[in-house]
Amino acid sequence: MTQRLVIAIDGPSGSGKSSAARGVATRLGLGYLDTGAMYRAVTCAFLDAGVDPSDTAGLIASTLGAELEISTDPSDQWVRVNGADVTERIREQEVSSVVSAVATLPECRADLVARQRAIIDAAPSGIVAEGRDITTVVAPDADLRVLLTADPEVRMARRRRELGEVDADALADQVLRRDADDSKLVNFTTAADGVVHLDGTYLTLEETIDAIAGMAGQ
């Protein structure tokens, strides 16, 4: 890569955006930013502080005060909050079930969006950033903006493979309920002007990576 390149990928839970974004970043020699991991890390912070998910002031204070570090190396992903490594913990049901408490608060989103923009701006060769409002809010000026979607049944099946043994209610909570909650504040189901819609329902991961890299001219 000789020219700095920023790629923004939006999409609902289980659409495959994280795996696709990592794959594109690896192929193109770019950084990778999992913005969802940042919301999950802040969730760990408020849980550790004993803040109730209904305590709006406490959630905002926990978010704004969180010391957050996240890797942008697609081959070595980790995240730390307040000095603690929470890389594995952020995927646990304890966190997944309440992360929307942070994600749906405008004050919390504004703080994390500012941090995400700073990370994107600091990436020397460029970065692939993925999440729920990346194409419209975080990086609306990205060189390439993609909305990656898939049918709900496919998204549920993909998330089940990621999580392993998980009951149906927990799976629905991870995918459908969180999408419903988060969509009250941000739009990640309809492509905005200038955003390319890619339906990955019938695409393999490699085909999805090929498609996005092709859009980037690589």
Side-chain angles (χ1 to χ4, degrees):
M1 297 294 298
T2 58
Q3 184 176 355
R4 192 172 185 276
L5 179 64
V6 175
I7 299 175
I9 303 177
D10 273 344
S13 298
S15 62
K17 61 184 181 296
S18 295
S19 297
R22 280 196 306 272
V24 171
T26 299
R27 181 177 298 185
L28 303 186
L30 302 173
Y32 163 68
L33 178 61
D34 177 358
T35 64
M38 297 173 70
Y39 286 94
R40 289 171 173 269
V42 167
T43 299
C44 292
F46 88 68
L47 288 172
D48 289 345
V51 176
D52 189 274
S54 64
D55 179 358
T56 298
L59 295 177
I60 295 171
S62 292
T63 301
L64 270 59
E67 296 180 9
L68 191 56
E69 302 170 90
I70 187 167
S71 169
T72 57
D73 181 346
S75 65
D76 182 24
Q77 283 291 289
W78 50 261
V79 59
R80 303 185 188 106
V81 64
N82 298 330
D85 188 318
V86 293
T87 307
E88 301 297 329
R89 184 184 173 195
I90 60 172
R91 305 302 171 188
E92 295 175 359
Q93 181 62 19
E94 171 203 30
V95 173
S96 297
S97 64
V98 293
V99 64
S100 287
V102 170
T104 55
L105 279 179
E107 296 88 347
C108 294
R109 293 199 76 90
D111 177 72
L112 290 173
V113 164
R115 300 191 199 211
Q116 291 156 12
R117 286 174 175 164
I119 293 170
I120 292 170
D121 290 344
S125 60
I127 198 165
V128 183
E130 57 94 354
R132 293 182 184 275
D133 57 357
I134 310 306
T135 65
T136 55
V137 177
V138 179
D141 297 324
D143 301 288
L144 172 64
R145 297 181 294 154
V146 179
L147 174 67
L148 180 60
T149 64
D151 289 344
E153 295 79 7
V154 171
R155 295 193 288 114
M156 295 274 281
R158 287 173 178 169
R159 187 51 56 88
R160 182 180 289 109
R161 287 196 295 271
E162 291 174 6
L163 298 174
E165 292 297 325
V166 60
D167 65 53
D169 288 341
L171 185 64
D173 182 80
Q174 279 254 13
V175 178
L176 304 180
R177 193 272 304 164
R178 279 197 55 225
D179 282 351
D181 285 350
D182 293 355
S183 65
K184 296 173 184 176
L185 195 62
V186 294
N187 180 14
F188 50 86
T189 58
T190 305
D193 289 344
V195 177
V196 181
H197 178 208
L198 177 62
D199 186 342
T201 300
Y202 302 108
L203 298 179
T204 65
L205 175 58
E206 283 304 311
E207 288 171 338
T208 303
I209 294 170
D210 287 343
I212 296 173
M215 294 176 199
Q218 305 298 318

